[in-house]
Amino acid sequence: MKKLYIIATIVMGLATTSCDSYLDINQNPNSPQESNMTPSIMMPAAEMNFAASYGDLFRIPAGYYTQHYAQTPGTSNYLDYSAFTMSAARSGTAYTQFTSRALKSLKTIAEQAESTGDWGSFLAAKVLRAYTYQVLVDAYGETPYTEALDISHPSPKFDEGIDVYAGILDEIDAALEKVSPSDPVCTNFLFPGKTAASWIQFANALKLRILTRESGVVDVNSKIAALISENNFPTADVAYTGCWSNESGSMSPFYAEEITTAWGSTQVNVCANIALVGTMQQENYTDPRLAAFFLPNSEGKYQGSVSGTNLTANFKMDSFNRPSETYDSPVYLLTVAEIEFFISEYYAKQGNSAQAKAHYEAAIKASFASAGVDGADENIAQFPYDQSNYKQSIGLAKWLALSGVNNFESWCELRRLDYPAFGSVTGSQLFTGTAINASIYVPGTLYTPVEVFNQVGSNKLLERWPYAEESSSSNSNAPKFPGYTIPVFWGK
C-alpha cells in the first residue's frame, strides 16, 4: 500500500515541523517528548493518523463486504476482500495506526487538557477516542481497552465489546459534564476555529449511534429518547474536509491509496458492484447519487462487476465504474442522514410510524443534499417507508446513502439490520466466466461471491475481523478468535 500516512504537510500554517515528526511523536526518539507537546500540536497529528486509517484501511475492505465495491478485471489487490475475508496480518496496519499513534496521542491530549482545565480540548480528545474504540469494537468484537496503552500491562486483556461500549459512553458523559458550549478547543481539523458547541453536538450524535447499535442487547431506550428530545445534533455532516491538498502526502486517504498516480502506481482495483449499480439503476429509475458516487465507464454507462472474481475474460479495466474521488474528498465520520435514520429507527421501534416515516424521508433528503444532487422525492417514491418492515426500509436506504460516503459504517449497519438480505441469485450465476448476466440480479439484494472464503460460506456476511497480529501474536491474554461468521456483541 502507498505511504498515505505521510500527510502531516496538511498542517498548513500550524507549524513548520516536518510531517514525519508530526505523525511519529509516539515512536520517534528524536521527536519532542510528549510532556513538551501541547494539545494544539498533538491534535492535528492524532487526527491525521485516525483519518488516514479510517478513511482508507477501514473503508476499502468494508466497501467490498457491503458489495458496494468489486474488483476490477486483471488486478487482484483486494480480491480477498471481494471473497469476504480478512487476515490477521492484513488488518495490522489499520490497528497499529489507531492504537500506537492515534489513541496514544489522544490519551496524552486528554491528560494534559484535564490538568489545565481545558475542557473543550478534553472533550474533543475524548470524543475522538470514543469514536476510535467504537470502530475497533465494530471491526474486531473484543479489543484491549481498560489495560490498553498502559506500560504496566505489556499484554493487556481483551475487553468484551459490550464493556468497551459502556466505557466509552461513560467517558463521553464525563467530558460533557465538564464542558461549556463556549469553551475553546485546541487546534484541530474537524471543527477549525469552533468552540466546544460543535464538539458537544458531535458527541451527542456519536452517543446516538453507539446506543442505537447496542439497543438490541441493552435497554437504552430512555437514553436514546433523551438525546432525541434534546435535539442537539450536528446540522451538517461531520467530516474531515478542507484540510487536503493536491500534493503527495497531503491528499485525502482513499484518493491517495486508490486513485492518484502520484506515487508511481497505476494499479486500478476498486470499481462499483453489480449489487449497488443494479439497485441504483433499475429499468424505470436511476438514482442520481450513482453519478455522484461513481464515474461512468469508457462507454459512458454504469455497469457493476461481480464479487469474488476479477473477471479477466472479455473485460477491461475501464468496463466498470470507478469511485468519483478527488484529492480533497471528505473523510466522513457521521452524517446528518445517519442521524435521521437512527431517529427514524427509534420511532419505528416505538410504533410511531408517522415520526419514523418523517425522519426516514428526512434522512434520504439529507443524503441527496450531501451528494449535491436533486431527486430525493423520486427516490422516496421508489423506496417508500414501510413500518411493517422498517428494518428492511431503513437498512436498504442506509446502504444506498452510505455507499459513496462511509462504507465502514454501512458494513456495521448491514450486519446489525440484516438488510439488504441475500437473494436467491449467486455470484456464479451473475458471472458465468465469459459474461455478466445483469438481467437476473434482483435489486436490493446481496449475493454469494463467485469464489467465497470457505470459512464464511454461502449467503453469509463476514461478521468480524480476526484479531490483528500486532495485538495478539505476543499477547498471552489474547482470546481465541471465535470465527468469521460470529457476530460482534450488538449483532447477536
Side-chain angles (χ1 to χ4, degrees), residues 1-45:
M1 292 190 175
K2 305 181 185 92
K3 279 287 186 179
L4 62 94
Y5 312 112
I6 311 303
I7 54 179
T9 52
I10 57 181
V11 189
M12 304 169 196
L14 297 179
T16 58
T17 310
S18 72
C19 59
D20 291 288
S21 61
Y22 248 108
L23 296 185
D24 291 336
I25 59 171
N26 298 315
Q27 298 179 349
N28 187 348
N30 297 318
S31 297
Q33 294 296 313
E34 286 182 352
S35 59
N36 296 326
M37 303 288 276
T38 67
S40 284
I41 292 176
M42 287 186 288
M43 181 62 86

Side-chain angles (χ1 to χ4, degrees), residues 81 86-95 140 466-470 472 484:
Y81 298 159
M86 170 63 81
S87 69
R90 201 72 148 121
S91 72
T93 303
Y95 182 86
Y140 294 101
Y467 308 125
E469 282 185 346
E470 283 73 1
S472 61
Y484 291 91

